[in-house]
Amino acid sequence: MTPSGATGREPVAVDAGGIMAAMHIKARTRTSPDTAGPARHSAAGTPKRAAHSGCAGCLARPLAVCASIPATETQALEAVAGEVLLPAGATLAHEGDARREVYTVTRGMLRRVRLLPDGRRLVAGFLMVGDFIGFSGAPHYRHTLEAVTDCVLCVFPMQSMRSLCQRYPDLESGLLAQACSELDATRGSLMLLARLGPSERLAGFLVELAERQRRRGAPAGQVDLPMTRADIADHLGLTIETVSRSFTKLRQSGAVAFTDPHRIDLVDVPALRASAGL
């Protein structure tokens, strides 16, 4: 579990309906719970470039690092920015590609994927509205970035973003805060995978994803899952069958309830948190 959107800042007040619409968690972009991610990609669309639509009214801005730039000076961003339109199942960048651009997610959800030498797939985390992609000490991408739903991203040349960081020190501080939060989340994930059982891992995943979505305007006590059960399994180090059994176990315990496998009601959040050691 890697809550990449955490930046160390206090949650901001945002328009609930607008942010959730921007997240694009809709039934028409979902896939069957038993459909493995890679099987969909041969028919997936390709990224498209578009002119930047402007920062005014951007629903992702309160959640993104670019909020560090004063609203009166967003023309500095707009002058160097573009947009990438990414259909569900399409790939933004492949593992090993050179890093030349950075991105902010303004609509939809992506997953970070790595293929292990023995062919197994690791889903390292999920990226949501407001999350920033691209700054790293590595010159190449260490993960493949794939769209879970239809996505829109702001794109900036790497050098342009470096120049903006020099001009706006708060922007650089925001990026550092996000990097530290991601590091903390990664350490938490290692503990989760090493010490907890399947249903405990799933409980922690649901609680943390629900909290990330709540900061984006979603109702408390509910979590949307646009990803497949295979994505969740490859994220938690489990099989699809074990993930399904763990959902059943949590539902039978009364901790969760659902009729739609992509929308889960967290009935007993304290019990879920205690189970996951949160």
Side-chain angles (χ1 to χ4, degrees), residues 61-248:
R61 178 172 163 79
L63 300 161
V65 293
C66 59
S68 303
I69 295 179
T72 56
E73 299 184 40
T74 55
Q75 69 275 7
L77 280 173
E78 296 167 346
V80 297
E83 283 188 349
V84 174
L85 313 179
L86 197 65
T91 298
L92 178 66
H94 290 88
E95 181 180 351
D97 285 353
R99 293 179 182 272
R100 297 189 179 92
E101 297 174 322
V102 295
Y103 307 88
T104 294
V105 183
T106 60
R107 184 181 296 272
M109 175 182 284
L110 298 93
R111 57 182 163 248
R112 282 192 175 113
V113 176
R114 178 180 290 183
L115 289 180
L116 303 179
D118 60 5
R120 288 178 297 167
R121 187 182 72 140
L122 167 68
V123 176
F126 298 96
L127 298 158
M128 299 166 59
V129 172
D131 286 345
F132 189 80
I133 305 169
F135 263 146
S136 170
H140 299 89
Y141 285 98
R142 301 190 63 187
H143 300 90
T144 296
L145 300 169
E146 301 169 345
V148 175
T149 67
D150 293 343
C151 296
V152 179
L153 305 96
C154 286
V155 55
F156 308 90
M158 184 81 76
Q159 187 54 50
S160 295
M161 183 56 69
R162 290 196 178 104
S163 297
L164 287 169
C165 285
Q166 292 175 352
R167 182 175 174 182
Y168 300 101
D170 285 348
L171 177 60
E172 187 171 32
S173 297
L175 291 171
L176 177 60
Q178 176 170 298
C180 291
S181 295
E182 289 184 358
L183 179 59
D184 289 341
T186 299
R187 289 169 175 164
S189 295
L190 292 175
M191 182 278 291
L192 183 83
L193 296 176
R195 303 300 298 272
L196 300 182
S199 62
E200 296 166 331
R201 297 183 195 184
L202 181 60
F205 171 71
L206 294 175
V207 168
E208 292 193 357
L209 186 61
E211 176 58 23
R212 292 178 67 194
Q213 292 181 358
R214 186 193 65 78
R215 291 196 296 266
R216 289 157 173 82
Q222 187 180 87
V223 60
D224 279 299
L225 303 175
M227 70 288 288
T228 66
R229 292 295 190 261
D231 288 337
I232 296 173
D234 289 344
H235 181 52
L236 298 179
L238 304 170
T239 65
I240 300 175
E241 294 76 15
T242 301
V243 168
S244 295
R245 287 195 296 268
S246 297
F247 269 108
T248 299

